[in-house]
Amino acid sequence: FDDAVVAWDRALASSAEPTAEQVLARADAAASAGDLPSALAGIDAALARTGPLVVLQERAAALCEAVGDFAGA
Protein backbone atom coordinates (compact mmCIF):
# COMPACT_ATOMS: atom_id res chain seq x y z
CA PHE A 1 0.00 0.00 0.00
CA ASP A 2 2.89 2.39 0.58
CA ASP A 3 3.71 2.20 -3.13
CA ALA A 4 0.15 3.22 -3.90
CA VAL A 5 0.43 6.26 -1.64
CA VAL A 6 3.69 7.29 -3.30
CA ALA A 7 2.14 6.85 -6.74
CA TRP A 8 -0.87 8.95 -5.74
CA ASP A 9 1.41 11.62 -4.27
CA ARG A 10 3.23 11.87 -7.61
CA ALA A 11 0.00 11.98 -9.58
CA LEU A 12 -1.52 14.65 -7.35
CA ALA A 13 1.65 16.75 -7.39
CA SER A 14 1.69 16.76 -11.20
CA SER A 15 -2.00 17.58 -11.50
CA ALA A 16 -2.94 21.22 -11.91
CA GLU A 17 -6.27 20.56 -10.23
CA PRO A 18 -6.70 17.18 -8.56
CA THR A 19 -10.19 15.75 -8.42
CA ALA A 20 -11.89 14.80 -5.19
CA GLU A 21 -11.90 11.20 -6.37
CA GLN A 22 -8.11 11.23 -6.78
CA VAL A 23 -7.61 12.74 -3.35
CA LEU A 24 -9.95 10.22 -1.75
CA ALA A 25 -8.20 7.33 -3.52
CA ARG A 26 -4.89 8.52 -2.06
CA ALA A 27 -6.48 8.82 1.39
CA ASP A 28 -7.93 5.32 1.06
CA ALA A 29 -4.50 3.93 0.13
CA ALA A 30 -2.88 5.58 3.16
CA ALA A 31 -5.68 4.49 5.49
CA SER A 32 -5.46 0.91 4.16
CA ALA A 33 -1.76 0.97 5.00
CA GLY A 34 -2.72 1.95 8.54
CA ASP A 35 -1.41 5.50 8.20
CA LEU A 36 -4.44 7.59 9.14
CA PRO A 37 -2.36 10.73 9.86
CA SER A 38 -0.96 10.56 6.31
CA ALA A 39 -4.46 10.08 4.90
CA LEU A 40 -5.60 13.18 6.74
CA ALA A 41 -2.52 15.18 5.75
CA GLY A 42 -3.18 14.38 2.09
CA ILE A 43 -6.74 15.62 2.35
CA ASP A 44 -5.63 18.75 4.18
CA ALA A 45 -3.08 19.47 1.45
CA ALA A 46 -5.71 19.00 -1.22
CA LEU A 47 -8.13 21.31 0.58
CA ALA A 48 -5.42 23.97 0.65
CA ARG A 49 -5.11 23.65 -3.13
CA THR A 50 -8.73 23.25 -4.12
CA GLY A 51 -10.61 25.16 -1.48
CA PRO A 52 -13.45 23.76 0.58
CA LEU A 53 -14.96 20.64 -0.97
CA VAL A 54 -17.62 19.08 1.22
CA VAL A 55 -16.73 15.51 0.29
CA LEU A 56 -13.12 16.09 1.35
CA GLN A 57 -14.14 17.89 4.53
CA GLU A 58 -16.42 15.01 5.46
CA ARG A 59 -13.64 12.44 4.95
CA ALA A 60 -11.23 14.62 6.94
CA ALA A 61 -13.73 14.77 9.80
CA ALA A 62 -14.15 11.00 9.74
CA LEU A 63 -10.37 10.49 9.81
CA CYS A 64 -10.01 12.93 12.71
CA GLU A 65 -12.60 10.96 14.64
CA ALA A 66 -10.83 7.70 13.77
CA VAL A 67 -7.58 8.95 15.32
CA GLY A 68 -9.40 10.39 18.33
CA ASP A 69 -9.06 14.05 17.35
CA PHE A 70 -12.63 15.06 18.07
CA ALA A 71 -11.74 18.75 18.16
CA GLY A 72 -10.30 18.50 14.64
CA ALA A 73 -13.43 16.80 13.39
Side-chain angles (χ1 to χ4, degrees):
F1 291 113
D2 291 333
D3 291 340
V5 174
V6 170
W8 276 114
D9 284 342
R10 284 189 204 127
L12 293 170
S14 67
S15 175
E17 198 168 318
T19 67
E21 291 80 12
Q22 292 170 320
V23 174
L24 293 174
R26 189 249 180 235
D28 288 343
S32 293
D35 194 350
L36 297 181
S38 175
L40 182 58
I43 292 174
D44 286 343
L47 286 168
R49 287 179 66 188
T50 64
L53 294 175
V54 173
V55 67
L56 297 181
Q57 291 172 324
E58 287 176 344
R59 183 68 64 89
L63 288 167
C64 284
E65 290 176 2
V67 297
D69 180 10
F70 298 103

